[in-house]
Amino acid sequence: MSEDKTIYRPSQEIVEAAHVPDYDALREEAAQDPPGFWAARAEELLDWYEPWERVLDDSDAPFFKWFTGGKTNVVLNALDRHQRTATRNKLALVWEGEDGTLKTYSYFALNREVCEFANVLRSMGVKKGDRVTIYMPRIPELLMAMLATAKIGAVHSVVYGGFSVEALGERIEDSESKVLITADGGYLRGKIVPLKEIADEALQRCGTVEHVVVIRRTGEPVHMEQDRDYYYDELMALPVARSAGDGSETEVMDAEDPLFLLYTSGTTGKPKAILHTHGGYQVGTATTLKYAFDLKPEDRWWCAADPGWITGHSYIVYGPLILGATSIMYEGAPTYPYPDRWWRIVERYGVTILYTAPTAIRGLMRFGDSWVKKRNTSTLRLLGSVGEPINPEAWRWYHEVVGKGECPIIDTWWQTETGAFMITPVPSFPLKPGSGTKPFPGVQAEVLDDEGNPVPPGEEGKLVITTPWPSMLRGIYKDPDRYIEQYWSTYEGKYLTGDSAKVDEDGYFWIIGRVDDVIKVSGYRLGTAEIESGLVSHEAVAEAAAIAIPDEIKGNVIHAHVILKAGSEGSPELVSELKAHVGHEVGPIAKPTHIEFVDALPKTRSGKIMRRLLKARAMGLPEGDTSTLEG
Ligand code: WTA
């Protein structure tokens, strides 16, 4: 990656309009008393049923608690309070289907539908604390399902629609969900993704689900299991949905009660469920969105992620709704039917802020400037990036062609675990392409060497967060030991991010990439273990090792090494079959681009696969230190 030393300064107009005119001063002020900073934001931006007694309880670290004694529900702030102000008449959501369907919801309409959906879920026996799995295309009902679940105090677990049978089944089983909310299908690149069919197969492998709610998106006939599966529109027409009208009660929750589980890939083994709670998570998402993107009432905010990932949870669903913003949501692929689809959306709905991933930018950049230029994108005032480091070429194209050289690029570094932005600029701050600039106020980050000492400027080390923050994960569901081991055992009292980074002379942070067995493919977070278990579940495979190889558009692609069982022969047909198998079991996003048949895998004497060596070999690089290689 070539480095760009240019410093991009915002225009006077942007500085004057900025919510945070002097970022360094605010950061310094917050650093004096981070809990005090967050408490002030919790008062400024949110309503509470009852105020908290303690801002931060660190008596059982690293099991930190925030705003203890406070009573809230994310729905109180995302929907209920807006019904009492002019925001009730404002657009909450403008949705465009890939097929061109347009749907809009005011805060009033969104609330009504969420209330009715909540009534339906209650009538099915879903109670406070119960888990509900949501497996849906990018349609408004996905938001409603999340909000309805939260409203009644249940815990949602959204599984991204690009995951498949085994991934879905595993997540349903681990969360012990009673209810699954899904759809007959969704549209992607003009084709139907058969979500219900995948869900049916997943349900055969796990046994906790009692009811399935099916949203009709495509209208295609699907199998409906008697006394288990119900169509959403039919349920919503029942008197039970309307029983309480739009006055359906929002459950009063403790600040520390669970809001959702979101499965994500870690260092080893199966994906783990990251737990977030009602109180601190709201404070983190609302504060970061307001400050980093200067969100104003006249904005039209478009976070182009999927609600199935943390970016969508925090910045499609909760953050924007809490702030009473108008969001744009689009169901399908950026290039369908032509590569100007996104720019048409910007033009058609007057988008002012676009937040997306470098992989999408690179993917669109490849079609050239003309697709952007023929659309009116002049409403854009800020651009955002997330998910992986953005290379300077993509940064400049985004800045110059999409943003006409006038829109600051807000490069936000954060994780499923952090719940909200951790390292990010604000619009008034000078930018360096490829750097997320500095930690957000109230966040303390360092880059350390293996001994735990801060590395000198410009040197690579491990990125850690040194003080707790309100939207931090509250643990891994059902696995407190793994929480401690994965995040808190490398450096005493410091949160290990799993990323390597550098800090330059000006204190700007530069993220380099993951240092564990997590792979970022097109910005999607996958574990090598997930891909490998997808491969070894095929009858011909004895052992597998997956690694990431750099790719110009996707950031990384998956390269899998496979040892076949005796009696199986490697062939191009088998390569295709294995790719299809991983697609069916784990999901299309986990399909390896390359599969190489090998007789052995390099391992350490303790039996660990040496992925570093596999990567060096695959890329034709020097093998480095091989002294731990088994003899
Ligand atoms: C990477 C996504 C560089 C990083 C919100 C992190 C980034 C992982 C950036 C978390 C960024 C995220 N620059 N790298 N702006 N944002 N990452 O949990 O490796 O899906 O650890 O959360 O994405 O991925 P996750």
Side-chain angles (χ1 to χ4, degrees), residues 260-264 272-276 416-418 473-477 487 525:
F260 66 83
L261 302 176
L262 188 56
Y263 285 82
T264 193
K272 52 196 191 296
I274 301 297
L275 174 68
H276 283 286
T416 306
E417 292 88 339
T418 70
L473 74 163
R474 295 303 192 271
I476 294 173
Y477 184 57
Y487 303 107
R525 178 166 165 181

Side-chain angles (χ1 to χ4, degrees), residues 166 170 519 527-547 558-565 568 574-587 590-598 601 609 611 614:
E166 185 61 25
E170 236 172 57
I519 301 185
T528 51
E530 273 170 282
I531 302 155
E532 289 157 8
S533 78
L535 283 164
V536 295
S537 68
H538 188 278
E539 56 188 14
V541 177
E543 211 181 332
I547 54 165
I558 302 163
H559 184 119
H561 300 77
V562 168
I563 302 180
L564 293 174
K565 284 187 186 154
S568 294
L574 188 55
V575 167
S576 310
E577 196 179 313
L578 291 178
K579 287 183 185 175
H581 180 76
V582 174
H584 180 264
E585 290 294 308
V586 191
K591 271 190 200 176
T593 300
H594 310 284
I595 293 184
E596 188 180 329
F597 297 111
V598 293
L601 290 166
I609 295 170
R611 289 173 214 283
L614 286 174

Side-chain angles (χ1 to χ4, degrees), residues 280-341:
Y281 176 76
Q282 292 186 62
V283 179
T285 54
T287 307
T288 50
L289 183 57
K290 173 139 186 117
Y291 282 51
F293 281 98
D294 253 354
L295 214 64
K296 297 193 166 67
E298 62 271 29
D299 273 316
R300 290 192 152 213
W301 161 256
W302 183 18
C303 168
D306 191 284
W309 299 88
I310 193 67
T311 307
H313 278 58
S314 300
Y315 299 107
I316 293 179
V317 187
Y318 295 116
L321 292 176
I322 291 170
L323 296 178
T326 297
S327 278
I328 313 299
M329 183 166 154
Y330 165 58
E331 178 185 34
T335 50
Y336 186 84
Y338 301 110
D340 64 346
R341 183 64 184 262

Side-chain angles (χ1 to χ4, degrees), residues 264 309-311 385-390 411-417 497 499 511 513-514 520 523 525:
T264 193
W309 299 88
I310 193 67
T311 307
S385 177
V386 61
E388 51 182 325
I390 179 164
D411 180 356
T412 60
W413 176 88
W414 60 297
Q415 309 178 297
T416 306
E417 292 88 339
T497 64
D499 280 338
I511 307 297
R514 299 289 309 193
K520 279 282 181 146
R525 178 166 165 181

